[in-house]
Amino acid sequence: METRQDIDLYAMLKNNIVEGIFVFEKDINLDFVQEVSENLLFELFIKVDNTVRVGYTWNIDHFESPKPYDSWSWYDGVWNAPIEMPLGEEGTYYVWNEEQQSWDQRDI
């Protein structure tokens, strides 16, 4: 996927949650971006790359995707299960079972 070089993306946040992604021409006056943010009652706007999505959380210096399961924790930039996923055999995959706190094997 080609990334456009003539635009910038800004995440508009409320309570540190991304509520919207806005596209502006590169070199736009940041006062205008601030005005848009304030008029729409956003608390914060941050220039982002194209990996940030609505629903992500701003956490001091990085964005976190929504937590997939209550038992998972954030480290190394991703959500991780409390136990490591087993290596699957060819033709199988694993799905996290939150109730059992285990990986369930499935056939493809």
Side-chain angles (χ1 to χ4, degrees):
M1 176 180 215
E2 187 175 327
T3 303
R4 290 189 49 185
Q5 301 299 318
D6 59 336
I7 61 171
D8 285 326
L9 304 175
Y10 286 86
M12 303 295 179
L13 289 79
K14 287 184 185 175
N15 298 319
N16 288 338
I17 305 293
V18 177
E19 298 264 330
I21 304 288
F22 289 75
V23 179
F24 293 101
E25 291 179 7
K26 202 160 207 79
D27 303 326
I28 191 156
N29 183 326
L30 288 182
D31 291 336
F32 175 73
V33 176
Q34 178 71 38
E35 184 179 331
V36 169
S37 177
E38 289 172 359
N39 286 340
L40 295 174
L41 303 177
F42 290 110
E43 299 162 353
L44 179 65
F45 71 96
I46 301 172
K47 186 175 175 181
V48 296
D49 62 24
N50 64 356
T51 62
V52 175
R53 302 285 184 261
V54 170
Y56 280 33
T57 301
W58 176 247
N59 190 350
I60 302 173
D61 63 352
H62 65 276
F63 284 97
E64 296 176 1
S65 60
K67 191 173 188 176
Y69 299 99
D70 287 340
S71 64
W72 288 33
S73 57
W74 182 268
Y75 60 90
D76 289 338
V78 295
W79 290 108
N80 293 272
I83 59 173
E84 191 172 329
M85 184 174 65
L87 294 175
E89 300 171 13
E90 190 172 330
T92 64
Y93 66 98
Y94 289 88
V95 176
W96 179 250
N97 182 326
E98 182 70 4
E99 187 175 302
Q100 299 294 317
Q101 295 288 294
S102 65
W103 290 98
D104 293 342
Q105 186 174 344
R106 302 278 193 262
D107 294 328
I108 294 180

